[in-house]
Amino acid sequence: MSDAISLPPSVVPKGAGPAPLIDPFQRAITYLRISVTDRCDLRCAYCMSETMQFLPKRDLLSLEELDRLCGVFIARGVRKLRITGGEPLVRRDIMHLFRRLSRHLDSGALKELTLTTNGTQLARFAPELAALGVKRVNVSLDTLDAVKFKDITRRGELPVVLAGIEAARKAGMQVKINAVALRDVNGDEIPDMIAWAHGLGMDLTLIEVMPLGEIEADRTDQFLPLSVARQRLESRYTLTPLPDRTGGPARYVRVEETGGRLGFITPLTHNFCESCNRVRLTCTGQLYLCLGQEDSADLRAVLRATNDDAVLARAVEEAITRKPKGHDFVIERQRPAAVPRHMSVTGG
Ligand code: SAM
Ligand code: SF4
């Protein structure tokens, strides 16, 4: 936890503009992911439990506080913001935040403003998001089977999400589909999802299930190693590795038969922490330096203690000096989740 009184002096040299945020492993931190709510209109079985206790509203950062904090990160060299959650588009007045943040796109200070969503509200919001400069959106979708979809999400309607994806594409946004690979649930559907996504010109990224937060199921039963999924895919498709890097954990291949791009996020079987360029802000203003580690900085306390953005910037700088080298996820039977926070709190 950071203490506003004992913060180190700013690393910003006078008159030289802000130095980029560099962590102890010489990684420039240019990407902030922000969870704007822990709430969601779905209850994906690998993400949440059926009966989640959500946070009281007073614990959440207000939209004004989120805007102020994002401004501080941008002034300190962050170039990419991703709004996530929980489901970001169920937060009341969320478009107010997008409208505020879009001024940083207009000024050129921010290179990219984007979001990760389950797509249920996209049909409503896509036109305005696109008009505000949101060029790309990640939509999480684990199956194209409506019955399975309801089963995985415990309440979702597949056609609503498909309509959201369509609306985003129509509005001119580039859509990427994220699918968590779930053993015995969607493993056999992956080739069809590739054909569908690539047929519509969308990238597809597969994700290994991570041990984040307690749920009813045992994640060992859900876990499908992507090394196995990839091997199976190679019997149908020709996968050519691509050099594309986003500073993130995904590694990409081109599927020669479709011409589309397929990503693999493999935190369990292979991690790529050495090039990590990101930190994550929870909806309560805790800055996590790594998705899989516990260390954090309480930026809400600093936000609420002072109106001085320079103090806030120093709290951010101090936190970055504590960014760990990487995570060490393992999924083992009869072990509590490796990280107690659900993905919906830290922001996926
Ligand atoms: N609700 C939005 C959505 O589903 O896109 C944004 C938040 S959600 C937490 C972000 C991403 O995290 C989704 O792609 C979801 O599938 C993924 N996710 C959630 N829990 C996960 C877990 N335990 N392991 C791996 N991915 C997870
Ligand atoms: Fe909600 Fe996204 Fe978690 Fe599914 S993965 S329960 S949509 S936050």
Side-chain angles (χ1 to χ4, degrees):
M1 294 273 191
S2 295
D3 169 358
I5 293 153
S6 62
L7 293 172
S10 173
V11 295
V12 180
K14 268 209 172 79
L21 291 165
I22 303 286
D23 82 354
F25 303 94
Q26 300 309 308
R27 297 170 296 196
I29 307 306
T30 55
Y31 182 6
L32 175 67
R33 294 168 83 109
I34 306 140
S35 172
V36 294
T37 177
D38 61 333
R39 289 167 196 260
C40 187
D41 51 345
L42 304 182
R43 294 286 185 281
C44 301
Y46 55 83
C47 176
M48 294 192 178
S49 68
E50 175 83 67
T51 51
M52 291 289 287
Q53 280 291 335
F54 293 114
L55 294 161
K57 189 163 175 265
R58 65 175 177 279
D59 287 355
L60 303 194
L61 294 188
S62 68
L63 297 177
E64 284 66 30
E65 287 172 328
L66 283 164
D67 178 38
R68 183 180 159 208
L69 202 43
C70 288
V72 166
F73 274 95
I74 292 165
R76 294 299 290 104
V78 163
R79 292 287 166 264
K80 177 171 172 179
L81 295 182
R82 177 176 297 278
I83 308 297
T84 178
E87 175 45 42
L89 297 181
V90 301
R91 168 115 193 216
R92 188 191 295 263
D93 289 335
I94 189 63
M95 293 310 291
H96 174 71
L97 181 65
F98 279 100
R99 278 177 221 124
R100 293 285 301 157
L101 294 177
S102 70
R103 73 189 186 282
H104 300 294
L105 291 172
D106 297 339
S107 74
L110 189 62
K111 236 174 99 189
E112 186 171 25
L113 174 61
T114 183
L115 75 154
T116 299
T117 173
N118 63 24
T120 60
Q121 315 295 315
L122 253 187
R124 181 150 61 110
F125 291 121
E128 187 176 1
L129 285 168
L132 290 171
V134 176
K135 294 198 166 66
R136 300 194 302 158
V137 57
N138 286 2
V139 180
S140 305
L141 181 62
D142 306 318
T143 178
L144 291 170
D145 176 317
V147 175
K148 260 192 216 173
F149 183 78
K150 183 160 260 171
D151 218 41
I152 296 171
T153 61
R154 296 193 179 109
R155 59 197 64 185
E157 300 290 343
L158 179 66
V160 174
V161 174
L162 296 179
I165 292 170
E166 198 42 42
R169 296 177 61 239
K170 237 185 175 160
M173 282 191 271
Q174 205 180 315
V175 179
K176 177 162 85 77
I177 304 295
N178 284 340
V180 175
L182 300 164
R183 203 175 83 198
D184 304 331
V185 178
N186 64 359
D188 58 344
E189 241 196 286
I190 294 172
D192 293 342
M193 290 194 72
I194 292 174
W196 167 75
H198 290 180
L200 294 174
M202 304 184 292
D203 285 354
L204 173 71
T205 292
L206 303 172
I207 305 172
E208 282 177 341
V209 74
M210 289 174 254
L212 303 173
E214 287 304 316
I215 54 170
E216 289 85 351
D218 185 332
R219 285 200 178 89
T220 1
D221 297 329
Q222 300 177 329
F223 179 53
L224 170 61
L226 287 183
S227 46
V228 173
R230 185 171 175 155
Q231 223 170 17
R232 285 188 205 150
L233 281 175
E234 279 169 334
S235 64
R236 169 157 165 191
Y237 288 126
T238 316
L239 308 180
T240 308
L242 293 170
D244 313 19
R245 296 281 186 274
T246 59
R251 290 297 175 268
Y252 295 95
V253 297
R254 175 163 311 286
V255 179
E256 295 303 340
E257 289 76 2
T258 63
R261 215 161 66 129
L262 176 66
F264 294 90
I265 297 185
T266 55
L268 278 300
T269 54
H270 195 158
N271 84 54
F272 296 102
C273 300
E274 71 275 3
S275 55
C276 182
N277 62 353
R278 61 202 57 198
V279 288
R280 296 163 196 264
L281 186 72
T282 69
C283 52
T284 60
Q286 310 304 307
L287 185 71
Y288 279 90
L289 293 324
C290 171
L291 179 64
Q293 301 281 1
E294 283 301 282
D295 198 16
S296 66
D298 183 1
L299 296 183
R300 183 182 62 185
V302 186
L303 255 174
R304 292 184 180 174
T306 176
N307 288 325
D308 185 347
D309 283 354
V311 175
L312 204 44
R314 287 204 296 279
V316 170
E317 288 159 13
E318 185 279 330
I320 299 299
T321 66
R322 291 189 271 127
K323 185 166 164 64
K325 196 167 181 188
H327 63 73
D328 40 22
F329 288 134
V330 277
I331 288 192
E332 279 175 15
R333 203 170 281 282
Q334 282 156 8
R335 256 177 61 142
V339 176
R341 302 180 310 279
H342 290 89
M343 184 81 129
S344 50
V345 172
T346 323

